Amino acid sequence: MRLQPDEEAMLDGREGPAVQQAMALLVQYGEALGAERMVDVKNVCGANIFTPAQKQLAGGGDPAALFSQWSLNSDRPLSIPPVRVYSCQLIGPMDREAWAVQGMRPEDAQAILASEAFSAQLGIQLMNTCTPYQVGNVPVKGEHCAWMESSAVVYINSVLGARSNVEGRESAAAAMLTGKVPYWGYHIPENRRATHLVWVDWDVESVMDWGLLGYWIGEVLEDEVPVIDNIRHVPNLVRLKHFGAAAASSGGTELYHIPGITAEARTVEEALQGAPPRRVWHYGARERRETWEHLNSTGRDPEVDLVMIGCPHASIEQIWEVCRLLNGRRVHENTELWIFTPRALRHLADRNGYTEILEKAGARLMSDTCPAIGQFLPKGTKVVAMDSAKQAHYLPAIMGVQGWFGSVADCVEAAVTGRWQGGLQ
Amino acid sequence: MREPIVLHGRKVVGGVTEGPALVTHQAISGWGGVNARTGTIIETRHELRGQSFAGRVLVFPGAKGSSGWSGVFHTARLAGTAPKAFIFNRMSTKMALGAVVTGVPAITDLDRDPLEVIETGDWVRVDADRGIVEVFKRDPEALPSEASHLS
């Protein structure tokens, strides 16, 4: 790679050993990619909160040693300087207030809080959500970013027109300390061209339908860039949050275009940058049905132990909707209803009275984590119902449970009756 | 031993190793698709579900899914369950960073599709520094126990 003088200085160790290790890692990573140079980034989102299990696997050590191993890929403990650019913590392993609900021991909770405090002291913003764009980190069109979290990257790339690849923990942490990442992939304008055209022959309107369309696109297109045509209703943040998260789970979609709606394409032709699509795909009733069946392939028993809402983390609108759907009813005695939202939105829910409504109904509003990331469920859970294609993709694999996928209304009904009655309308 | 089939490609991460191949035509999800403590594929509808890549040369189209890909393979390295090498077709940030932190030889951009040439159970020698993959085809009769449990 061709390095600039400031990058050479970091690589030579003139900014200390941690920055040197970060730059060396970025050079290795850039060479593995085949990148020719670095690009400056001033907006980074990563994941640097570590559990006691990770501490044990790293052979122990203080927070700096854990950061050195897990965040910078260094077996040698390094002294970690403050971050150089605006950096945010994504979703983590633990709700800092409701950790007992997760079945966590007090000493483990203390260790995770200490890890969090170490990040904060480096200057990392403790947003602790998979959706930083819901709580104030909203990149602008053309802004080079280095974000982890596949659902967030596809959102900022597509909806906002930011430029980020899907970074991993180590590259994001290295970017926090250097303000650099390899100039590769979606940082380069030509690579943002749509390669495939998807013709949508279905009236996609509901959140569930956006999830189904996203999950299907990821399955058939993997990490290609689609332009999606014949969308008849302008979606909102929640719909595109679920759509992108689904596509990034079943496949690896990091960027899509919807003409007239997303940031970089007014027309199909503009999305394709003048070239023909490599293939035209058709999404209709049959594809929708097959995708629904894939997402419900682990569901067998109708008795639901847990209903999970908030993957990616719920917006305040979604919390309000759950309160309205409950309509004064209580959650069934054999079922739990857990809703996950960013901590900053939790404060808004508290103020609006939604937290109280949910608690009176026997539901629980949580933050900072989710069952898939934190790997926790109510004791004895065998069957989980979800309104998120992403969570329905991951949770059965990670936790060995059965999963039902449906609309938020199906989910709230399951929470109230204890039985799954969802289906495809 | 029969003559190997030789493929040429580009070094992603250097090093020399050899081992039995584990081949899949489906992309691999790291976080949420792999149990790093055992090296086992856990993705619900994956063709390798229940099989472990530990100590084997993983031959696959590329990475997909969560940004936790590198973190999971980083964990596999520390847990001692990492593959011996990566041979793959599609470059991505997940794949590149994952290969770097796993610290095992990795090769891509091969002159023949490795998914067509290599089968599970073949013996594969990887010289990533020189960009060379040598494939020694498995003799089905010589390895009945290995073959019998492969689906």
Side-chain angles (χ1 to χ4, degrees), chain A residues 62-193:
Chain A
D62 63 8
L66 295 186
F67 194 99
S68 302
Q69 174 60 260
W70 288 114
S71 303
L72 295 175
N73 199 37
S74 169
D75 292 336
R76 190 165 60 93
L78 305 166
S79 167
I80 310 298
V83 294
R84 184 173 300 243
V85 295
Y86 178 43
S87 300
C88 302
Q89 166 67 34
L90 291 160
I91 191 168
M94 183 183 85
D95 183 312
R96 66 171 294 139
E97 282 161 19
W99 50 264
V101 177
Q102 296 180 228
M104 203 166 265
R105 295 180 306 177
E107 58 268 34
D108 292 348
Q110 284 307 314
I112 290 169
L113 289 175
S115 181
E116 221 183 75
F118 181 75
S119 277
Q121 161 254 305
L122 296 178
I124 297 171
Q125 314 295 325
L126 296 179
M127 290 185 173
N128 295 37
T129 176
C130 45
T131 61
Y133 55 88
Q134 291 203 96
V135 293
N137 189 345
V138 186
V140 299
K141 187 174 176 180
E143 183 176 351
H144 290 282
C145 299
W147 282 30
M148 280 184 79
E149 178 49 54
S150 60
S151 73
V153 172
V154 68
Y155 189 92
I156 64 166
N157 266 339
S158 311
V159 182
L160 306 178
R163 295 188 187 174
S164 182
N165 293 312
V166 170
E167 297 301 338
R169 172 187 288 134
E170 302 86 353
S171 58
M176 289 177 181
L177 298 188
T178 62
K180 309 278 182 179
V181 280
Y183 185 68
W184 191 85
Y186 298 115
H187 290 288
I188 303 171
E190 304 86 272
N191 295 338
R192 301 179 65 88
R193 180 178 90 76

Side-chain angles (χ1 to χ4, degrees), chain B:
Chain B
M1 186 176 274
R2 284 177 279 179
E3 282 296 300
I5 302 167
V6 181
L7 310 181
H8 298 86
R10 178 175 82 80
K11 174 186 91 168
V12 176
V13 173
V16 181
T17 191
E18 59 186 280
L22 179 65
V23 183
T24 174
H25 289 252
Q26 296 178 345
I28 288 179
S29 193
W31 183 86
V34 164
N35 179 342
R37 299 294 180 131
T38 57
T40 307
I41 305 289
I42 59 168
E43 184 176 347
T44 306
R45 290 179 291 116
H46 202 282
E47 65 185 11
L48 288 189
R49 186 169 188 218
Q51 296 201 51
S52 173
F53 50 64
R56 299 162 98 176
V57 174
L58 188 56
V59 185
F60 62 127
K64 71 166 187 176
S66 162
S67 61
W69 214 93
S70 65
V72 163
F73 280 86
H74 193 152
T75 304
R77 170 168 70 80
L78 295 180
T81 61
K84 281 211 143 179
F86 293 115
I87 299 174
F88 64 94
N89 284 334
R90 212 169 53 234
M91 182 50 89
S92 63
T93 50
K94 282 176 271 224
M95 199 53 249
L97 185 65
V100 166
V101 302
T102 310
V104 298
I107 295 191
T108 191
D109 293 339
L110 291 137
D111 51 4
R112 288 174 66 188
D113 184 354
L115 300 178
E116 299 301 320
V117 176
I118 310 174
E119 296 166 277
T120 292
D122 289 348
W123 192 261
V124 179
R125 191 175 289 160
V126 179
D127 183 343
D129 297 318
R130 294 195 299 148
I132 292 174
V133 173
E134 292 175 296
V135 184
F136 299 88
K137 294 305 288 182
R138 166 174 63 117
D139 181 347
E141 288 174 24
L143 290 165
S145 60
E146 169 86 347
S148 64
H149 72 261
L150 296 169
S151 55

Side-chain angles (χ1 to χ4, degrees), chain A residues 191-202:
Chain A
N191 295 338
R192 301 179 65 88
R193 180 178 90 76
T195 54
H196 293 247
L197 174 64
V198 174
W199 176 260
V200 178
D201 188 14
W202 187 265

